[in-house]
Amino acid sequence: LSPTLIRLKLAEPVIALPDDRFVLRRPSPAQTVGGGSIIDAFPPKRLSRVKRIARLEQLNRNGLAARLKVLVEEKENGRRLGELAYLTGRTIEELKMVLATIPALILIEGLQRVVTEAWRDRRRSAIVRWLEEFHKKNPALPGAPVAQARRGLDAHLANFVFDGFSAIRLQGDLVALR
């Protein structure tokens, strides 16, 4: 039997975390109606029915590692570690141990943020394409302003993308293809 997915809307707030169990009872006559376990205590507000079901099925599959991957991938610039603790009901220490076992996810320790390798690779590819175009239009210039290469990212995330990126060369306030 595959699980039936339902969305409960409660009259009063409750404290619930993923994997918590619940029982639904009718008060009069006293009768148990059903039960289950929480998959997502904090669902996004606006998703189509199809996307919501697909997301719940992904979150319900293969444990915490798969859940973390889904939660990080669904945000454009990853998620903060504290936010992941809130969404999963796990401690930061527990999350760090699990994250260390997932090659596709990168914990940026100084920022306490988790991003995907694919996110970093997309950002790096976009910078290379942008620099190729810049060098075509400005062949006499030694490089482009770093501030322009960082657009769309906060400075700390940009530093993470640039660190160890062998395709580019940083010199002062300029960035160029190597």
Side-chain angles (χ1 to χ4, degrees):
L1 274 183
S2 65
T4 301
L5 301 173
I6 62 168
R7 183 177 203 163
L8 294 176
K9 291 188 180 187
L10 305 174
E12 297 176 23
V14 298
I15 297 173
L17 295 171
D19 299 326
D20 282 354
R21 296 192 171 280
F22 65 90
V23 175
L24 298 175
R25 292 192 175 98
R26 178 177 295 153
S28 179
Q31 181 182 19
T32 298
V33 178
S37 62
I38 305 291
I39 296 173
D40 188 6
F42 310 101
K45 292 193 188 302
R46 295 206 160 102
L47 283 181
S48 70
R49 181 181 171 95
V50 171
K51 287 181 182 177
R52 186 170 48 240
I53 290 170
R55 182 177 183 276
L56 285 172
E57 287 172 345
Q58 286 180 315
L59 289 174
N60 198 33
R61 208 176 302 137
N62 302 326
L64 183 57
R67 177 180 292 272
L68 289 172
K69 197 165 182 304
V70 169
L71 292 171
V72 171
E73 286 174 343
E74 71 186 7
K75 287 292 190 174
E76 182 181 349
N77 290 323
R79 289 196 187 258
R80 296 198 181 280
L81 201 52
E83 185 181 10
L84 289 171
Y86 173 77
L87 293 171
T88 61
R90 306 298 174 96
T91 66
I92 287 178
E93 293 75 27
E94 207 176 345
L95 292 175
K96 284 181 178 182
M97 288 190 316
V98 174
L99 287 166
T101 68
I102 308 170
L105 297 181
I106 302 168
L107 170 61
I108 308 168
E109 193 71 46
L111 296 179
Q112 294 291 290
R113 180 178 288 280
V114 181
V115 296
T116 65
E117 274 190 349
W119 175 87
R120 182 187 61 191
D121 294 345
R122 283 192 308 272
R123 290 293 182 170
R124 286 180 171 179
S125 294
I127 290 169
V128 167
R129 286 191 307 275
W130 179 76
L131 282 171
E132 287 170 345
E133 195 64 33
F134 179 86
H135 289 309
K136 278 183 195 172
K137 290 179 181 176
N138 306 285
L141 294 177
V146 171
Q148 286 182 348
R150 288 182 175 154
R151 68 177 175 240
L153 292 174
D154 71 31
H156 299 296
L157 277 176
N159 289 341
F160 166 73
V161 172
F162 291 164
D163 285 348
F165 188 19
S166 61
I168 64 169
R169 177 177 36 88
L170 289 169
Q171 266 185 319
D173 290 347
L174 297 178
V175 62
L177 290 174
R178 213 170 259 288

